[in-house]
Amino acid sequence: MSILNRCRGPLASLAIAAMTLAAPGHALSASGRVLSPAGIALPGVKIRLALAGLSTSSDASGNWSLAAGPSSIEATSQRIGGADHLFLSKGHLQVRWNGVDASGRGLFQGTRSAGFRAMAPRSQEIPDTLLFMQDDTLLLKDTISASRTGIVSVLDSTFNPHIVYGSLTDSRDGQVYRTVKIGDQTWMARNLNFKTDSSFCYEDDSSACTTKGRLYTWSAAMGLDDSCDVNACSTQVAARHKGVCPTGWHVPGKVAWETFMNAVGGNPAQPKLKAASLWPVAGTDEFGFRAVPSGYRSELGNYFRGKEYTALWSASEVARVVASAQEFYLGTDVDFVTSYKVEGNPLRCLLDD
């Protein structure tokens, strides 16, 4: 059994250390190191630049590198090289999955290409798809290009590898989050992990924050004075309340959660919204939302139900000491419940529209 297979489980992830991207001579190159969550090097993981058709495997130290060079066959049609997922549109190179433009950047302007590689002016961006494979199983994928400084720094194998995610970099601490569009809404695809007062890691274990996000009291999630945990504060809640979310994102209210549930087809919704691992009964993660069991923190500082339960805060206050949360547990329905504000629950942020 490989090291990668042994590391799968409650905290299974792949970490890319020292990920670099460059475009020397209009070529796309990428390099990095594959590690387990415990920092153990993972050899034998296959890494491939899909469009360039190049691949390698991580060595005994987990290191790998790939480079795609320029080439020379003229692209004369809108669809390049017969690839259904690579298009020229209004001078832009587009990589599409299921009709969605995953890149949409990079001026082509009549330059010459071979299949999927381009010999381009210096301003052109050359996107490609970086794939991580183990035993012919697709674990992870990410769209990369020469102008990006890196990809998501921790690639978690609990993400649905068939979803094309966006990304968000939190300017406050540099953390990178995957994002996913569901219906007309764009959500963070994992729980927020921005450290603030009255926020905690499950069982005070910092590694839990990486996989499950931080647990916030309601006032901390909302960015309000902690007196709001025991007093009515609805007059201080804005229509799109930023709270502790990054700029341009906000804490979803009850109406936003109802819109979300309608977009996924309503209940029973838990299986299709839960991550494909971590739970006692794995979900299918059909929409890429990747709900994970986070547990909660009591007012007395005790932690409960870390393997079977999560309740994501909403901005909707119910009464003086309680607020609404979207609850996932061992059943099939997603319930909108009330939670004591002093309890620590995780948070998903929603993009302003």
Side-chain angles (χ1 to χ4, degrees):
M1 183 179 292
S2 69
I3 293 177
L4 183 61
N5 284 333
R6 289 200 298 271
C7 83
R8 286 177 179 167
L11 298 179
S13 67
L14 298 180
I16 301 299
M19 174 71 188
T20 58
L21 293 169
H26 315 307
L28 175 62
S29 64
S31 62
R33 192 177 181 210
V34 186
L35 306 173
S36 74
I40 300 171
L42 298 179
V45 177
K46 185 176 181 180
I47 300 98
R48 182 160 64 96
L49 282 170
L51 304 184
L54 301 175
S55 64
T56 188
S57 296
S58 57
D59 64 18
S61 299
N63 295 312
W64 60 271
S65 64
L66 284 169
S71 59
S72 63
I73 301 175
E74 184 174 3
T76 58
S77 62
Q78 183 180 17
R79 192 174 66 199
I80 301 172
D84 291 334
H85 57 286
L86 195 65
F87 291 81
L88 283 175
S89 177
K90 297 180 180 180
H92 288 73
L93 183 63
Q94 294 184 342
V95 182
R96 302 180 188 175
W97 285 274
N98 298 324
V100 178
D101 177 15
S103 178
R105 300 183 299 273
L107 294 178
F108 224 84
Q109 297 178 333
T111 58
R112 303 169 75 82
S113 75
F116 312 121
R117 302 190 291 276
M119 179 181 290
R122 189 167 301 197
S123 62
Q124 176 163 326
E125 193 164 338
I126 307 171
D128 204 334
T129 305
L130 192 65
L131 304 175
F132 290 78
M133 312 283 292
Q134 179 75 7
D135 300 327
D136 296 323
T137 298
L138 175 63
L139 299 176
L140 311 162
K141 73 179 178 181
D142 209 327
T143 302
I144 64 173
S145 60
S147 72
R148 293 179 65 179
T149 57
I151 59 175
V152 177
S153 59
V154 176
L155 298 179
D156 190 331
S157 59
T158 62
F159 283 99
N160 184 341
H162 303 292
I163 297 290
V164 177
Y165 295 94
S167 66
L168 157 69
T169 300
D170 191 335
S171 60
R172 299 170 297 183
D173 59 9
Q175 290 198 68
V176 183
Y177 298 83
R178 294 191 177 211
T179 64
V180 64
K181 188 168 184 180
I182 300 175
D184 294 327
Q185 299 173 316
T186 299
W187 292 83
M188 291 175 59
R190 67 179 177 94
N191 298 343
L192 186 68
N193 184 24
F194 179 69
K195 186 176 182 179
T196 187
D197 290 342
S198 299
S199 69
F200 313 91
C201 297
Y202 188 81
E203 293 186 335
D204 302 318
D205 179 0
S206 60
S207 66
C209 279
T210 301
T211 54
K212 300 181 178 186
R214 299 189 73 85
L215 304 177
Y216 300 88
T217 62
W218 187 77
S219 65
M222 297 294 288
L224 300 174
D225 186 84
D226 59 11
S227 62
C228 287
D229 287 334
V230 292
N231 292 294
C233 289
S234 59
T235 58
Q236 301 181 44
V237 178
R240 285 193 184 91
H241 194 88
K242 178 181 180 297
V244 74
C245 292
T247 300
W249 297 72
H250 62 276
V251 181
K254 184 176 181 180
V255 172
W257 277 116
E258 290 173 345
T259 300
F260 167 79
M261 287 299 296
N262 288 334
V264 301
N267 281 317
Q270 285 206 57
K272 54 190 174 184
L273 295 175
K274 286 179 174 178
S277 61
L278 306 180
W279 297 90
V281 178
T284 59
D285 197 22
E286 177 179 336
F287 296 91
F289 186 74
R290 188 184 165 273
V292 298
S294 63
Y296 69 95
R297 183 184 186 272
S298 73
E299 179 183 6
L300 298 178
N302 298 313
Y303 296 91
F304 299 96
R305 303 183 71 183
K307 296 181 179 180
E308 61 182 36
Y309 177 86
T310 195
L312 298 164
W313 277 127
S314 86
S316 300
E317 184 181 69
V318 176
R320 183 174 59 86
V321 297
V322 293
S324 296
Q326 196 83 340
E327 183 184 65
F328 297 79
Y329 55 104
L330 296 180
T332 59
D333 288 356
V334 177
D335 295 323
F336 208 62
V337 299
T338 57
S339 179
Y340 287 107
K341 296 177 182 178
V342 293
E343 292 180 343
N345 287 319
L347 175 64
R348 286 290 180 98
C349 298
L350 178 62
L351 181 67
D352 297 346
D353 53 19

Short mmCIF file of all heavy atoms in Angstrom, two decimals, residues 148-180:
data_model
loop_
_atom_site.label_atom_id
_atom_site.label_comp_id
_atom_site.label_asym_id
_atom_site.label_seq_id
_atom_site.Cartn_x
_atom_site.Cartn_y
_atom_site.Cartn_z
N ARG A 148 0.13 33.52 -12.77
CA ARG A 148 -0.26 33.27 -11.38
C ARG A 148 0.96 32.94 -10.54
O ARG A 148 1.88 32.28 -11.00
CB ARG A 148 -1.27 32.12 -11.31
CG ARG A 148 -2.60 32.47 -11.95
CD ARG A 148 -3.56 31.31 -11.88
NE ARG A 148 -3.92 30.98 -10.52
CZ ARG A 148 -4.77 30.00 -10.20
NH1 ARG A 148 -5.32 29.30 -11.13
NH2 ARG A 148 -5.05 29.76 -8.94
N THR A 149 0.97 33.42 -9.32
CA THR A 149 2.12 33.20 -8.46
C THR A 149 2.11 31.81 -7.83
O THR A 149 3.08 31.40 -7.22
CB THR A 149 2.17 34.24 -7.33
OG1 THR A 149 0.93 34.19 -6.59
CG2 THR A 149 2.33 35.63 -7.91
N GLY A 150 1.01 31.09 -7.95
CA GLY A 150 0.94 29.75 -7.39
C GLY A 150 -0.49 29.25 -7.42
O GLY A 150 -1.40 29.96 -7.80
N ILE A 151 -0.69 28.02 -7.05
CA ILE A 151 -2.03 27.47 -6.96
C ILE A 151 -2.39 27.33 -5.49
O ILE A 151 -1.60 27.69 -4.62
CB ILE A 151 -2.13 26.12 -7.69
CG1 ILE A 151 -1.14 25.12 -7.10
CG2 ILE A 151 -1.90 26.28 -9.17
CD1 ILE A 151 -1.27 23.73 -7.69
N VAL A 152 -3.58 26.86 -5.22
CA VAL A 152 -4.01 26.69 -3.84
C VAL A 152 -2.93 25.94 -3.06
O VAL A 152 -2.50 24.86 -3.44
CB VAL A 152 -5.34 25.92 -3.78
CG1 VAL A 152 -5.76 25.68 -2.35
CG2 VAL A 152 -6.42 26.71 -4.52
N SER A 153 -2.46 26.52 -1.95
CA SER A 153 -1.27 26.01 -1.28
C SER A 153 -1.51 24.66 -0.63
O SER A 153 -0.60 23.84 -0.55
CB SER A 153 -0.80 27.01 -0.22
OG SER A 153 -1.81 27.25 0.73
N VAL A 154 -2.71 24.40 -0.15
CA VAL A 154 -3.03 23.07 0.38
C VAL A 154 -4.14 22.49 -0.47
O VAL A 154 -5.24 23.01 -0.51
CB VAL A 154 -3.47 23.14 1.85
CG1 VAL A 154 -3.89 21.76 2.34
CG2 VAL A 154 -2.34 23.68 2.72
N LEU A 155 -3.82 21.44 -1.20
CA LEU A 155 -4.79 20.79 -2.06
C LEU A 155 -5.37 19.61 -1.29
O LEU A 155 -4.71 18.62 -1.06
CB LEU A 155 -4.12 20.32 -3.35
CG LEU A 155 -3.52 21.44 -4.21
CD1 LEU A 155 -2.87 20.85 -5.44
CD2 LEU A 155 -4.57 22.44 -4.60
N ASP A 156 -6.61 19.75 -0.89
CA ASP A 156 -7.24 18.78 0.00
C ASP A 156 -7.94 17.72 -0.84
O ASP A 156 -8.79 18.04 -1.67
CB ASP A 156 -8.23 19.52 0.89
CG ASP A 156 -8.77 18.68 2.02
OD1 ASP A 156 -8.85 17.45 1.84
OD2 ASP A 156 -9.12 19.24 3.06
N SER A 157 -7.60 16.46 -0.62
CA SER A 157 -8.16 15.39 -1.42
C SER A 157 -9.62 15.12 -1.12
O SER A 157 -10.24 14.26 -1.74
CB SER A 157 -7.35 14.10 -1.23
OG SER A 157 -7.34 13.71 0.12
N THR A 158 -10.22 15.84 -0.18
CA THR A 158 -11.65 15.71 0.04
C THR A 158 -12.45 16.60 -0.92
O THR A 158 -13.67 16.53 -0.96
CB THR A 158 -12.04 16.07 1.49
OG1 THR A 158 -11.70 17.43 1.75
CG2 THR A 158 -11.34 15.17 2.47
N PHE A 159 -11.78 17.47 -1.71
CA PHE A 159 -12.48 18.23 -2.72
C PHE A 159 -12.89 17.32 -3.87
O PHE A 159 -12.19 16.37 -4.21
CB PHE A 159 -11.60 19.36 -3.26
CG PHE A 159 -11.50 20.55 -2.36
CD1 PHE A 159 -10.39 20.72 -1.54
CD2 PHE A 159 -12.49 21.51 -2.32
CE1 PHE A 159 -10.28 21.82 -0.70
CE2 PHE A 159 -12.39 22.62 -1.50
CZ PHE A 159 -11.29 22.77 -0.68
N ASN A 160 -14.01 17.62 -4.50
CA ASN A 160 -14.47 16.86 -5.65
C ASN A 160 -13.56 17.18 -6.85
O ASN A 160 -13.54 18.30 -7.32
CB ASN A 160 -15.92 17.27 -5.98
CG ASN A 160 -16.51 16.45 -7.11
OD1 ASN A 160 -15.80 15.83 -7.89
ND2 ASN A 160 -17.82 16.47 -7.22
N PRO A 161 -12.80 16.21 -7.35
CA PRO A 161 -11.85 16.50 -8.42
C PRO A 161 -12.51 16.83 -9.75
O PRO A 161 -11.85 17.26 -10.68
CB PRO A 161 -11.02 15.21 -8.52
CG PRO A 161 -11.94 14.15 -8.03
CD PRO A 161 -12.76 14.79 -6.95
N HIS A 162 -13.82 16.62 -9.86
CA HIS A 162 -14.52 16.87 -11.12
C HIS A 162 -15.17 18.26 -11.15
O HIS A 162 -15.77 18.63 -12.15
CB HIS A 162 -15.58 15.79 -11.34
CG HIS A 162 -15.00 14.41 -11.35
ND1 HIS A 162 -14.16 13.97 -12.35
CD2 HIS A 162 -15.09 13.40 -10.46
CE1 HIS A 162 -13.78 12.73 -12.08
NE2 HIS A 162 -14.33 12.36 -10.95
N ILE A 163 -15.03 19.03 -10.08
CA ILE A 163 -15.55 20.38 -10.03
C ILE A 163 -14.45 21.36 -10.42
O ILE A 163 -13.30 21.22 -9.98
CB ILE A 163 -16.06 20.72 -8.61
CG1 ILE A 163 -17.23 19.80 -8.22
CG2 ILE A 163 -16.47 22.18 -8.51
CD1 ILE A 163 -18.51 20.06 -8.97
N VAL A 164 -14.77 22.34 -11.25
CA VAL A 164 -13.82 23.41 -11.56
C VAL A 164 -14.07 24.54 -10.56
O VAL A 164 -15.08 25.23 -10.61
CB VAL A 164 -13.99 23.92 -13.00
CG1 VAL A 164 -13.03 25.07 -13.27
CG2 VAL A 164 -13.75 22.79 -13.98
N TYR A 165 -13.14 24.70 -9.64
CA TYR A 165 -13.27 25.69 -8.58
C TYR A 165 -12.64 27.02 -8.98
O TYR A 165 -11.70 27.07 -9.77
CB TYR A 165 -12.59 25.20 -7.30
CG TYR A 165 -13.20 23.97 -6.68
CD1 TYR A 165 -12.71 22.71 -6.98
CD2 TYR A 165 -14.26 24.07 -5.79
CE1 TYR A 165 -13.26 21.57 -6.40
CE2 TYR A 165 -14.83 22.94 -5.21
CZ TYR A 165 -14.32 21.69 -5.53
OH TYR A 165 -14.87 20.58 -4.97
N GLY A 166 -13.16 28.09 -8.40
CA GLY A 166 -12.47 29.37 -8.43
C GLY A 166 -11.55 29.44 -7.22
O GLY A 166 -11.38 28.47 -6.49
N SER A 167 -10.96 30.60 -7.00
CA SER A 167 -10.10 30.76 -5.84
C SER A 167 -10.24 32.16 -5.26
O SER A 167 -10.59 33.11 -5.96
CB SER A 167 -8.64 30.46 -6.18
OG SER A 167 -8.14 31.42 -7.08
N LEU A 168 -9.97 32.25 -3.99
CA LEU A 168 -10.03 33.51 -3.24
C LEU A 168 -8.80 33.58 -2.36
O LEU A 168 -8.50 32.63 -1.62
CB LEU A 168 -11.30 33.54 -2.37
CG LEU A 168 -11.30 34.45 -1.14
CD1 LEU A 168 -11.32 35.92 -1.55
CD2 LEU A 168 -12.48 34.13 -0.23
N THR A 169 -8.06 34.67 -2.43
CA THR A 169 -6.94 34.89 -1.53
C THR A 169 -7.34 35.95 -0.52
O THR A 169 -7.70 37.06 -0.87
CB THR A 169 -5.69 35.37 -2.29
OG1 THR A 169 -5.32 34.38 -3.25
CG2 THR A 169 -4.52 35.58 -1.34
N ASP A 170 -7.31 35.58 0.75
CA ASP A 170 -7.65 36.51 1.83
C ASP A 170 -6.45 37.42 2.06
O ASP A 170 -5.40 36.98 2.53
CB ASP A 170 -8.00 35.72 3.10
CG ASP A 170 -8.62 36.59 4.18
OD1 ASP A 170 -8.37 37.81 4.17
OD2 ASP A 170 -9.34 36.05 5.04
N SER A 171 -6.58 38.70 1.73
CA SER A 171 -5.45 39.63 1.82
C SER A 171 -4.99 39.85 3.26
O SER A 171 -3.88 40.33 3.49
CB SER A 171 -5.84 40.98 1.20
OG SER A 171 -6.95 41.56 1.88
N ARG A 172 -5.81 39.46 4.23
CA ARG A 172 -5.44 39.70 5.63
C ARG A 172 -4.36 38.75 6.12
O ARG A 172 -3.51 39.13 6.94
CB ARG A 172 -6.69 39.57 6.52
CG ARG A 172 -7.78 40.58 6.18
CD ARG A 172 -9.07 40.25 6.91
NE ARG A 172 -9.63 38.96 6.51
CZ ARG A 172 -10.78 38.48 6.97
NH1 ARG A 172 -11.49 39.19 7.83
NH2 ARG A 172 -11.23 37.30 6.56
N ASP A 173 -4.38 37.51 5.65
CA ASP A 173 -3.39 36.54 6.12
C ASP A 173 -2.80 35.69 4.99
O ASP A 173 -1.99 34.80 5.23
CB ASP A 173 -3.97 35.63 7.20
CG ASP A 173 -5.20 34.85 6.72
OD1 ASP A 173 -5.49 34.88 5.50
OD2 ASP A 173 -5.85 34.20 7.56
N GLY A 174 -3.19 35.97 3.74
CA GLY A 174 -2.63 35.27 2.59
C GLY A 174 -3.19 33.89 2.35
O GLY A 174 -2.75 33.20 1.41
N GLN A 175 -4.16 33.44 3.14
CA GLN A 175 -4.73 32.12 2.92
C GLN A 175 -5.54 32.09 1.63
O GLN A 175 -6.19 33.06 1.26
CB GLN A 175 -5.63 31.70 4.10
CG GLN A 175 -4.86 31.42 5.37
CD GLN A 175 -5.71 30.61 6.34
OE1 GLN A 175 -6.04 29.45 6.10
NE2 GLN A 175 -6.06 31.23 7.46
N VAL A 176 -5.46 30.95 0.94
CA VAL A 176 -6.15 30.77 -0.33
C VAL A 176 -7.29 29.77 -0.14
O VAL A 176 -7.09 28.69 0.42
CB VAL A 176 -5.19 30.28 -1.43
CG1 VAL A 176 -5.92 30.16 -2.76
CG2 VAL A 176 -4.00 31.23 -1.55
N TYR A 177 -8.48 30.14 -0.60
CA TYR A 177 -9.66 29.30 -0.48
C TYR A 177 -10.19 28.96 -1.86
O TYR A 177 -10.18 29.81 -2.76
CB TYR A 177 -10.77 30.01 0.30
CG TYR A 177 -10.42 30.35 1.72
CD1 TYR A 177 -9.70 31.51 2.02
CD2 TYR A 177 -10.80 29.52 2.77
CE1 TYR A 177 -9.38 31.83 3.34
CE2 TYR A 177 -10.49 29.83 4.08
CZ TYR A 177 -9.78 30.99 4.36
OH TYR A 177 -9.45 31.30 5.65
N ARG A 178 -10.64 27.75 -2.04
CA ARG A 178 -11.37 27.43 -3.24
C ARG A 178 -12.80 27.98 -3.10
O ARG A 178 -13.34 28.03 -2.00
CB ARG A 178 -11.39 25.92 -3.48
CG ARG A 178 -9.98 25.42 -3.76
CD ARG A 178 -9.98 23.99 -4.25
NE ARG A 178 -8.61 23.61 -4.56
CZ ARG A 178 -8.27 22.74 -5.50
NH1 ARG A 178 -9.20 22.15 -6.22
NH2 ARG A 178 -7.01 22.45 -5.71
N THR A 179 -13.37 28.35 -4.24
CA THR A 179 -14.73 28.84 -4.27
C THR A 179 -15.52 28.04 -5.30
O THR A 179 -14.94 27.45 -6.21
CB THR A 179 -14.77 30.33 -4.63
OG1 THR A 179 -14.26 30.52 -5.97
CG2 THR A 179 -13.94 31.15 -3.66
N VAL A 180 -16.83 28.04 -5.16
CA VAL A 180 -17.66 27.26 -6.07
C VAL A 180 -18.97 28.00 -6.31
O VAL A 180 -19.53 28.60 -5.40
CB VAL A 180 -17.92 25.84 -5.49
CG1 VAL A 180 -18.72 25.90 -4.19
CG2 VAL A 180 -18.60 24.94 -6.50
#
